[in-house]
Amino acid sequence: MEKQARLISYILSPLVLIPLLLVLVSAKYSSSVNHFSLSLFLIFSTSIVPIFLIYGLLKRIGWISDWGISIRRERFVIDFASLVFAGVTVFLLRSYASSSVSYFLTLIFIELAVFSFITLFTKISAHTSSITLFVSMLIVLFGKGLMISIILIPLVIWSRVYLGRHTVFQALSGVFITFII
């Protein structure tokens, strides 16, 4: 069971889901292939690539102890960097994107900001928060036919608790905070 729990945690991690969500939002609302290509370039160059570089650098120099950033105080640097780069991405995309793209990008940014602030004081699950955001936006973007994807939320909760990364309360907190936002 541990192997399955780890696989779920890796595949449905914030580092996979948030970039995928940005791509899906851009694909849904881009007016042309060129517009979508520019959106992808901005998303990757201003947020995804820098975050992975910073993440790798922090791991290499020992500022974070493990790839899951299980020690809450280690999350601040990566959360702050994520906020900065997400803010740059939102600002650049808002300048030419449709109002729908701007709306969704702003929601993602706000969720990240609130989550980062809360984790300064207590540990909550970024995995359950990001899967809740991902599933919610899938349903809003593509319709009620994707309601079945809600099953991914308890699956991620189970994997995080089973692996001992979070308590049930911490995992559920990630879900509820995202629903509130």
Side-chain angles (χ1 to χ4, degrees):
M1 293 293 269
E2 184 173 341
K3 189 175 184 180
Q4 291 85 354
R6 285 192 189 286
L7 184 63
I8 290 165
S9 281
Y10 288 132
I11 292 172
L12 299 177
S13 77
L15 292 174
V16 172
L17 293 176
I18 299 304
L20 181 57
L21 188 56
L22 291 171
V23 169
L24 291 173
V25 168
S26 295
K28 172 85 174 173
Y29 293 108
S30 291
S31 57
S32 68
V33 173
N34 287 341
H35 190 259
F36 179 64
S37 299
L38 182 57
S39 294
L40 284 182
F41 173 75
L42 286 173
I43 289 166
F44 279 91
S45 65
T46 62
S47 62
I48 296 170
V49 171
I51 291 304
F52 277 101
L53 290 174
I54 289 170
Y55 198 68
L57 175 66
L58 292 175
K59 176 69 174 124
R60 185 178 181 124
I61 64 175
W63 281 23
I64 55 175
S65 55
D66 62 86
W67 291 108
I69 314 177
S70 56
I71 300 171
R72 184 175 46 87
R73 64 176 156 56
E74 293 178 353
R75 290 182 177 189
F76 175 76
V77 175
I78 197 74
D79 285 351
F80 182 75
S82 297
L83 273 174
V84 168
F85 289 115
V88 168
T89 304
V90 168
F91 176 76
L92 291 173
L93 287 174
R94 284 184 68 120
S95 62
Y96 78 91
S98 71
S99 59
S100 297
V101 171
S102 296
Y103 172 76
F104 283 108
L105 292 175
T106 303
L107 278 179
I108 293 168
F109 180 77
I110 290 169
E111 195 275 336
L112 179 60
V114 170
F115 178 84
S116 297
F117 179 74
I118 290 170
T119 58
L120 290 174
F121 305 102
T122 189
K123 185 176 178 184
I124 60 174
S125 175
H127 280 75
T128 61
S129 180
S130 63
I131 191 64
T132 304
L133 178 68
F134 184 80
V135 166
S136 301
M137 288 211 173
L138 273 182
I139 294 166
V140 168
L141 287 170
F142 301 106
K144 292 181 181 177
L146 290 174
M147 291 289 280
I148 189 73
S149 64
I150 289 175
I151 199 155
L152 295 174
I153 296 170
L155 191 63
V156 171
I157 291 170
W158 167 80
S159 73
R160 302 307 290 164
V161 172
Y162 184 84
L163 292 171
R165 299 290 189 193
H166 293 286
T167 64
V168 172
F169 178 78
Q170 292 167 340
L172 289 174
S173 295
V175 173
F176 291 123
I177 287 168
T178 302
F179 270 132
I180 290 169
I181 295 169

